[in-house]
Amino acid sequence: MFGWRSRSIHALLVLLLVFGFASVLPQTPATVAAATTTPHTVQPGPLVPPPQTSRPLHPPPAGLPSAARVTTSASAAAANAATNTTVDLKVLVIAADGNEADLPAIQQTLDYLGTPYTLYVAAKTPGGLTTGKLIDPANSAHAFYQGVILTNAFLGYSPPGGGWQSALTTPEWTALWNFETIFHTRQINWYTYPTQDEGFNWTTTPGGVDTTTTPIAAPFTAAGKQMFSAYANTDTPVTIQNAYAYLATPLDSNTTPLLSDSAGNALAAVRSFKDTSGTLLRESLSLTFDSNPSLLHNLTLSYGLVNWVTKGLFLGDRHVSLLAQPDDVFNDNDIWLPDRACGLSTENTGTTARMSGSDVQALINWQNAKQAQPTTPGFSLELPFNGVGTTAEWLAEEGNPPGQFAQDTLTPMLKANQAQFKWISHTYTHANLDAISAADATTELKSNNQIANQLGLQRYSKKTLVTPDVSGLTNPAFLQAAVAFGVRYTITDTSRVGYNNPSPNAGIYNPLQPSLLMIPRHPTNLYYNVATPDQWLAEDHCLYPDGAYGHAATYADLINRESNMLLTYLLRGDVDPLMFHQPNLIAYDGTHSVLGDLLDATFTKYSRIFNLPIQSPSEEELGVQFASRMSYNTSGVKAQLVANNKLVLTAQKDATVPVTGALATCGACTAAPYGNQNITLVKIRAGQTLTLTLQGVAPAPIPRIALTKVIPNSGLIAGGNTVTLTGKNFVAGATVAFDGTPATNVTVISSTSITVTAPAHAAGAVTVSVTDSGEQATLANGYTYLASTTTGRSGPGSPATTGTTTPTAPTGVPDTGGGTTLEPVAPSP
């Protein structure tokens, strides 16, 4: 193909003179002739990987402490609920041995969001999860994490030598659950064997259900709809497949199902842990099925799970984007005929195809129909174009037979409707750029830019480029010319070594020209040389023959396979553009195209699962997003929620920090709603500290220590008598004072009882206080000092039977100042 572009300079010069279009090219003919064309090749594209082996879970290892008992017992460390806590916006992910199938799913979710997290592999550091790893030893009101995610509820694993045990010891479990109680930190068990401790009756399927052949349909409950409806289509049940699952019903009213099957089994549920008075201590959310990064049920639920565990306020953001780039517009491509033998070259097939004006009209009609749908209102194609295909000399000579495109209906139709699409340069002649000179590269770019001007392309920028066959990225001459011309963004091929995303939604700065950001682009199995269903299926059978993984027997199978791959990109938040080619846009029956069929299937599947609008940013807009994400990744940003109403941000490098769950009105902030949540982008400079005031993001925590009675409630002014204080959540190390004078011989008998020796004091009623870990509970008029030998008794109506607890702010929390207000969306359920 592209025979015209490979011909000698003499033929080119003759054509230019004959047709009188030399003025189209702002360069000498020799420079164009020196640019050889890039042959297209067809390689198998990515597929959704085959189901991974899901492992059943054993029942909990023997000897585990009870989560409910530990959280309410006297050994529960420092039940601190001071209103002036400081919580780092960071998630703690705890794995057993790091081999769990759901661990990559958890990490993928957080990585795509850009939410900071620490991975702690418990089996590698036995006994290492101490209170000091969770709470700042220098400030007991400072939590290092805002949420906890466990790969499975008991962190069970098989160590070398066999057996089944928990990767955490009893003291470690105690430290973890006490930490969660102190700061009301939520916990997710991404996979659990259902037990009463986690809020389930014993499972009716102790060996698990292999859902590979027996998928489970689990509709959202009312509580599940409230939790996930900000982005998910909760009218569609979640289908659990290719993973082990366990069936169990809720234990009692403290378990709130989020997903339930037709038999009333809770596949996902929140367990509320409360004390004897009904006060909520902490919450855990458990899934009774396995996950991996590719499973649809994981992709459906993962965002909502992170949103829940962080209480709807976290660093990072998520948008759903699909930028389709069908290359070679105005050009032609060889076509793979259905009867062509496998193994033959994809070049010089004897048939070429180029879009026509009627194809453009069908494309516009189809795109308009997409834009009328609720999940694709902003969808539009970005067309990489080769301007030479608009010239009379090319039209007269190109094709098989030559001149078959001379009656050009494509160019005038696209020119008349150019505003319907985004546009991007694909070089003038589709030149190979690997060995091109700087001068010839400049000619290619300038010539195509001139065509863009002649066509009046409004949605076009010379800053962006799709290089033919992803060539030129290691050619210093081309790169120098491109940057000098003004190119700032180009694409790579994610299937090529070294050109995939270094991290989710991040690009690669070209090492030879660091001002050029390369945006990874996904190749697809919709091949460049097919325009009809039978052509596509025939070529696919050569690459995925009968018996091979991915083989598609019919066109419907092929559409299903490829739309599953695109759906995976959308659901995980992958915004890389997608590669297609102009023959894919030809209306094979006057209305439909193979690209349209593929995207129709993708959008239909997507709309059953998500309700977020799919965005179609241009390559330039993507470049800005990628650069921002890359700066954020390397900026060393730290965020702390202080006193539940201030967000304090610091950074080591300049960055734009995404904050989900709050709407800012500060000068350094840009905010917009997306999916019933607000996403605020906060610009911060290196070394700067920004303090943003929040409104109602989370309620102030309920005081944990309570002092309700002093017995006896009076004594001599000389002191020295034994007094018993009753209340709740007392812990070892607590101190007691009478009107500020410390009591002696303080002994914590239980979580509800302390005995002390009263100090001496002047006559009169005084306030008694209990202090621990930055929190203080007081009882006004709790004890009366008497000058005579008459002592009082506690009884109904006595001052000692009434009182209030008043938390006080801990020391050590800096006053950050500031005055920027962020208004959150509806709080996370």
Side-chain angles (χ1 to χ4, degrees):
M1 79 180 176
F2 307 129
W4 178 81
R5 285 173 299 226
S6 64
R7 291 190 178 185
S8 71
I9 181 59
H10 301 290
L12 174 62
L13 180 58
V14 170
L15 288 171
L16 290 175
L17 293 175
V18 168
F19 290 99
F21 281 94
S23 60
V24 172
L25 304 178
Q27 75 283 328
T28 64
T31 59
V32 174
T36 59
T37 61
T38 302
H40 282 284
T41 57
V42 173
Q43 297 291 334
L47 300 177
V48 174
Q52 301 177 21
T53 301
S54 175
R55 290 178 291 183
L57 286 174
H58 297 274
L64 282 181
S66 165
R69 286 198 302 270
V70 167
T71 337
T72 58
S73 70
S75 62
N80 177 4
T83 58
N84 209 28
T85 56
T86 297
V87 179
D88 294 351
L89 294 196
K90 193 174 185 179
V91 174
L92 175 63
V93 178
I94 307 179
D97 61 0
N99 296 318
E100 298 92 320
D102 60 344
L103 177 57
I106 297 168
Q107 292 179 284
Q108 172 180 271
T109 302
L110 296 169
D111 287 340
Y112 270 96
L113 289 173
T115 300
Y117 67 95
T118 294
L119 173 61
Y120 183 83
V121 181
K124 293 182 178 180
T125 53
L129 191 65
T130 61
T131 299
K133 294 289 182 64
L134 305 168
I135 303 172
D136 187 350
N139 179 7
S140 61
H142 175 195
F144 290 145
Y145 301 101
Q146 67 176 140
V148 178
I149 300 176
L150 275 58
T151 54
N152 68 73
F154 315 105
L155 294 175
Y157 79 111
S158 295
W164 181 253
Q165 68 181 54
S166 174
L168 292 184
T169 63
T170 294
E172 289 177 296
W173 282 115
T174 301
L176 177 64
W177 289 331
N178 288 338
F179 159 70
E180 293 174 359
T181 300
I182 292 167
F183 292 95
H184 301 278
T185 306
R186 289 174 170 177
Q187 174 182 311
I188 292 177
N189 306 313
W190 212 274
Y191 183 25
T192 190
Y193 188 99
T195 68
Q196 292 186 348
D197 217 29
E198 290 302 327
F200 299 91
N201 288 307
W202 289 105
T203 178
T204 58
T205 56
V209 176
D210 185 351
T211 64
T212 302
T213 56
T214 57
I216 298 173
F220 290 93
T221 64
K225 288 184 176 183
Q226 181 182 6
M227 183 179 297
F228 292 96
S229 61
Y231 71 96
N233 182 353
T234 55
D235 292 333
T236 303
V238 175
T239 300
I240 301 166
Q241 191 169 16
N242 296 318
Y244 271 95
Y246 295 87
L247 304 180
T249 55
L251 178 65
D252 53 34
S253 60
N254 288 326
T255 299
T256 304
L258 306 175
L259 298 174
S260 293
D261 67 6
S262 58
N265 295 301
L267 281 303
V270 173
R271 180 66 172 171
S272 299
F273 295 89
K274 301 177 181 179
D275 64 15
T276 55
S277 67
T279 300
L280 179 65
L281 301 176
R282 67 182 187 89
E283 298 173 284
S284 66
L285 190 161
S286 298
L287 310 177
T288 65
F289 48 86
D290 203 357
S291 291
N292 71 49
S294 300
L295 295 181
L296 284 184
H297 60 253
N298 177 77
L299 294 170
T300 300
L301 300 172
S302 57
Y303 179 84
L305 296 176
V306 171
N307 193 52
W308 179 84
V309 81
T310 59
K311 301 179 182 178
L313 178 70
F314 57 90
L315 295 190
D317 67 332
R318 188 271 309 273
H319 291 83
V320 180
S321 297
L322 190 152
L323 176 61
Q325 294 179 324
D327 295 351
D328 304 342
V329 170
F330 296 125
N331 223 322
D332 66 338
N333 297 85
D334 283 291
I335 292 296
W336 185 272
L337 299 178
D339 59 355
R340 190 167 177 82
C342 297
L344 294 179
S345 172
T346 59
E347 299 286 310
N348 302 316
T349 63
T351 302
T352 61
R354 177 181 185 258
M355 293 173 64
S356 67
S358 60
D359 295 325
V360 173
Q361 186 59 63
L363 177 62
I364 292 172
N365 295 341
W366 171 80
Q367 184 172 272
N368 287 342
K370 301 303 103 181
Q371 293 171 355
Q373 296 175 356
T375 55
T376 50
F379 171 76
S380 66
L381 298 174
E382 182 167 62
L383 305 182
F385 66 98
N386 303 116
V388 71
T390 65
T391 62
E393 64 273 28
W394 185 94
L395 293 164
E397 187 271 344
E398 185 64 13
N400 191 354
Q404 69 180 83
F405 307 119
Q407 298 300 316
D408 182 21
T409 58
L410 174 64
T411 303
M413 178 62 78
L414 279 175
K415 181 176 181 179
N417 294 279
Q418 53 80 26
Q420 298 281 343
F421 308 103
K422 297 184 286 287
W423 298 84
I424 187 168
S425 178
H426 195 36
T427 74
Y428 184 70
T429 68
H430 201 275
N432 186 292
L433 306 172
D434 284 337
I436 198 171
S437 68
D440 289 348
T442 301
T443 294
E444 283 287 327
L445 298 172
K446 286 184 175 180
S447 298
N448 225 34
N449 190 65
Q450 184 168 333
I451 294 297
N453 292 333
Q454 291 176 359
L455 296 176
L457 304 182
Q458 298 172 9
R459 302 167 71 184
Y460 159 80
S461 171
K462 62 185 294 186
K463 293 182 180 179
T464 56
L465 180 68
V466 172
T467 64
D469 201 38
V470 198
S471 62
L473 302 184
T474 59
N475 178 0
F478 160 70
L479 295 168
Q480 180 183 10
V483 170
F485 179 72
V487 176
R488 293 296 177 265
Y489 309 104
T490 188
I491 56 94
T492 70
D493 182 340
T494 60
S495 67
R496 299 188 186 186
V497 176
Y499 286 125
N500 202 348
N501 304 80
S503 60
N505 297 333
I508 306 165
Y509 284 107
N510 188 281
L512 300 178
Q513 287 289 340
S515 63
L516 182 66
L517 178 58
M518 302 184 295
I519 301 172
R521 185 173 74 163
H522 292 303
T524 70
N525 281 311
L526 180 47
Y527 312 117
Y528 84 93
N529 55 353
V530 298
T532 67
D534 57 345
Q535 293 168 5
W536 185 10
L537 187 62
E539 187 165 21
D540 194 76
H541 282 173
C542 292
L543 295 169
Y544 299 96
D546 191 12
Y549 175 72
H551 174 72
T554 66
Y555 181 60
D557 293 339
L558 182 53
I559 289 290
N560 184 57
R561 185 193 77 193
E562 290 305 302
S563 60
N564 282 341
M565 187 70 245
L566 303 192
L567 179 65
T568 298
Y569 295 145
L570 293 174
L571 297 183
R572 75 185 186 194
D574 186 330
V575 302
D576 290 352
L578 303 174
M579 178 175 66
F580 302 103
H581 290 80
Q582 63 87 26
N584 308 150
L585 299 176
I586 292 175
Y588 60 82
D589 62 356
T591 301
H592 302 91
S593 67
V594 289
L595 178 55
D597 292 345
L598 173 58
L599 294 184
D600 281 344
T602 302
F603 294 151
T604 297
K605 291 178 178 179
Y606 174 86
S607 297
R608 293 194 192 108
I609 300 173
F610 274 14
N611 56 32
L612 290 173
I614 297 174
Q615 302 176 333
S616 292
S618 67
E619 185 175 302
E620 183 175 2
E621 291 169 329
L622 274 182
V624 173
Q625 291 179 26
F626 275 50
S628 178
R629 177 62 179 272
M630 294 163 72
S631 296
Y632 166 65
N633 289 346
T634 60
S635 64
V637 168
K638 294 183 179 179
Q640 294 182 328
L641 181 62
V642 177
N644 293 287
N645 68 348
K646 289 183 180 180
L647 183 64
V648 180
L649 297 172
T650 61
Q652 298 174 12
K653 298 180 181 179
D654 291 359
T656 298
V657 182
V659 182
T660 293
L663 179 63
T665 56
C666 68
C669 302
T670 303
Y674 182 68
N676 295 326
Q677 283 185 297
N678 284 306
I679 298 172
T680 299
L681 302 179
V682 183
K683 292 184 178 180
I684 188 169
R685 297 185 304 275
Q688 184 181 20
T689 296
L690 287 178
T691 299
L692 312 176
T693 300
L694 309 177
Q695 298 292 329
V697 167
I702 301 169
R704 302 264 38 90
I705 299 177
L707 175 58
T708 56
K709 189 179 294 186
V710 178
I711 304 174
N713 67 343
S714 63
L716 295 175
I717 58 175
N721 58 310
T722 299
V723 177
T724 299
L725 285 64
T726 61
K728 67 178 182 178
N729 296 323
F730 297 149
V731 296
T735 60
V736 177
F738 289 65
D739 194 27
T741 302
T744 58
N745 300 318
V746 178
T747 302
V748 178
I749 304 300
S750 71
S751 62
T752 60
S753 178
I754 300 176
T755 62
V756 301
T757 299
H761 195 280
V766 299
T767 295
V768 180
S769 62
V770 179
T771 303
D772 181 77
S773 298
E775 181 190 0
Q776 186 177 84
T778 62
L779 189 62
N781 301 316
Y783 188 84
T784 301
Y785 281 94
L786 304 172
S788 67
T789 58
T790 304
T791 58
R793 295 181 180 178
S794 296
S798 70
T801 62
T802 61
T804 59
T805 59
T806 306
T808 59
T811 59
V813 179
D815 183 5
T816 54
T820 298
T821 300
L822 284 83
E823 298 176 354
V825 295
S828 172

